[in-house]
Structure formats: C-alpha cells, structure tokens
Amino acid sequence: MMPGRLRLCGRMTSVTDAFDPADMREQYRTTELTVADLAPEPIEQFTRWFKIAATSPAIHEPNAMVVSTATPDGRPSSRTVLLKHYDEAGFVFYTNYASRKGGELAANPSVALLFPWHPLARQIIVTGRAVRTGRDETVAYFRTRPHGSQLGAWASRQSSVIASRDELLARYEELAARYPADEQVPVPPEWGGIRVVPETVEFWQGHENRLHDRLRYVRVGEGEGEGGQGEGAEWRVERLSP
C-alpha cells in the first residue's frame, strides 16, 4: 500500500479523503436575531454577547480575537491576540509597535477584528481604524501584567527572525536576573496599546440551512472624542444576506 493511502470499503482513498473538509458541516439551531433584539449602539450589544461567551464553559478565552492588518499595497496578515479593554471609544489590545502588525498599522491604520465564538454559533466582526493608546494608559496596563509577562515583552523582539528558542530563553534569563520579582520592570519604549475605533460592528448568528442572521451597525455620525476616539457616535443597523 502506498504511503498516505487507506483502504476503506474496498476502495483506495487518501488520508485527505478520509478527513474530507467538504463533508464537515453542522446545522446551527438558534433563535432568530432581529433588529428589535439589538441594543441602540454596538458596544452595549457587544457587552451582552461577551457576557454570555465569558460565562460559557464551551468558550476558551472569550477575549481571543483575530486581528487582521494589511500593508499599504494590500498584502494582508492575521493573528490571534487578546482583547484587554473595550468601551465606547473602541477595542484595545497591546503589542510591540515594531512587530509586523505594529508596522502595518502605522503605515495603514485600517484593521479588522473577529471574535469566533463557534460553540455559540456566533461571531462578531469589527472594522475600523487603529490609534495608539496614550502612554499613561499603556503604563497602567503594563503594571497589571504578571512579572514574567513583563519580562517577556522585553525579551521578545516580536516578529523578528531569531536563530533558536535558546536565544529567546537566554535573553529572558538575563532580564530575570536584572529585574527580580521584587523589582519594578520598566515599560519597553516600543511596546504599547492599540485602540480599534469601530466603523462597523457585525453580529453574526448561525442558523440551519445556512440562513444566518447578520446584523451590522454602521457609523453614520462623526462622534469622535479626544484623540480620534469614537465616543458619541451615531449608528444605523442593516441586515446582510448570509
């Protein structure tokens, strides 16, 4: 028998055929999501769904989100990061500004977030623009991080090529000796927060026969607070075909 081949029901099939993604499907059975069900603005609606996700034993790390960025010429990249704060001004995560996503957002602030809560047959998609948080906000959050994570922010030159994991660990151990657990770790100068100021927020709920609900808030008012943040925005809601 050739490597990578299986015999099923008297016929030859590849390992890929045995786990054919085209045969993987699930019927979502949920209640209808209507405009009348939604909060007047998207952050309140996000809070409603986030509380459900955060208290569901089926959701691991409900604050995990896929962040998608792109270069000025449109080459995209995506990665999973953790949401650390949200309010009417936007959604905040932290990163090394010299990382790939940091560099792309500096050159092209258009960004998308995806919260994939598959066990609930729900997802939330945010599109908007990225602005850096103030340094005071960054420092305040950095102080709440575990000591090891603070050292990790210094040890990792995020997105840069390294020779081996040993190189990373050696850098970490050097920092651990310099800043023991009882000493305050300074905030790396190139590390800080990114706030995604939303322009659209889509709430997706799965239904059987792929007749999903997709309700999207679209910003119609400027509503920009100090620093280009989105307080006081006005929104309209539109239904999208699934």
Side-chain angles (χ1 to χ4, degrees):
M1 184 178 295
M2 295 177 59
R5 308 288 291 187
L6 300 173
R7 183 176 296 278
L8 297 177
C9 301
R11 67 181 179 86
M12 297 298 292
T13 182
S14 69
V15 173
T16 302
D17 290 337
F19 301 97
D20 186 355
D23 292 333
M24 297 177 183
R25 57 177 54 85
E26 182 176 341
Q27 286 281 23
Y28 304 120
R29 292 177 173 85
T30 61
T31 58
E32 180 184 357
L33 179 64
T34 69
V35 174
D37 296 325
L38 297 181
E41 53 85 31
I43 297 302
E44 182 182 344
Q45 183 61 34
F46 179 87
T47 299
R48 293 178 183 179
W49 276 24
F50 185 67
K51 286 181 177 178
I52 294 172
T55 56
S56 170
I59 305 295
H60 177 66
E61 293 192 312
N63 60 326
M65 59 185 182
V66 178
V67 177
S68 297
T69 58
T71 60
D73 62 350
R75 294 179 180 271
S77 63
S78 298
R79 74 290 293 161
T80 302
V81 304
L82 297 179
L83 176 71
K84 289 301 178 181
H85 178 72
Y86 72 92
D87 56 23
E88 289 76 10
F91 301 83
V92 177
F93 65 92
Y94 290 84
T95 189
N96 188 314
Y97 291 145
S99 66
R100 178 175 181 175
K101 60 181 169 297
E104 289 180 354
L105 289 172
N108 175 9
S110 296
V111 60
L113 310 176
L114 168 65
F115 295 86
W117 297 328
H118 301 135
L120 301 179
R122 286 178 170 177
Q123 63 181 1
I124 299 175
I125 303 167
V126 180
T127 66
R129 70 186 188 286
V131 296
R132 293 185 180 184
T133 63
R135 196 61 181 169
D136 288 346
E137 186 174 349
T138 289
V139 171
Y141 169 70
F142 190 80
R143 294 282 171 254
T144 70
R145 288 164 62 91
H147 183 258
S149 296
Q150 294 180 5
L151 297 178
W154 279 98
S156 173
R157 301 183 180 102
Q158 196 172 24
S159 300
S160 64
V161 176
I162 57 176
S164 68
R165 181 170 177 81
D166 288 342
E167 177 183 332
L168 177 65
L169 295 177
R171 203 151 55 222
Y172 181 91
E173 292 302 326
E174 178 185 342
L175 288 160
R178 189 187 311 172
Y179 300 109
D182 58 347
E183 282 198 25
Q184 188 175 85
V185 181
V187 183
E190 73 281 4
W191 189 93
I194 297 289
R195 174 174 283 103
V196 177
V197 181
E199 295 169 354
T200 70
V201 185
E202 178 186 329
F203 292 83
W204 181 100
Q205 184 164 283
H207 286 291
E208 57 187 340
N209 302 319
R210 295 307 189 250
L211 300 178
H212 313 308
D213 286 322
R214 297 177 61 190
L215 296 179
R216 181 172 64 184
Y217 292 82
V218 179
R219 184 191 296 274
V220 294
E222 290 300 323
E224 293 188 355
E226 184 178 353
Q229 299 176 13
E231 300 99 326
E234 296 179 0
W235 303 88
R236 64 178 168 83
V237 177
E238 55 191 15
R239 179 177 286 273
L240 304 179
S241 181

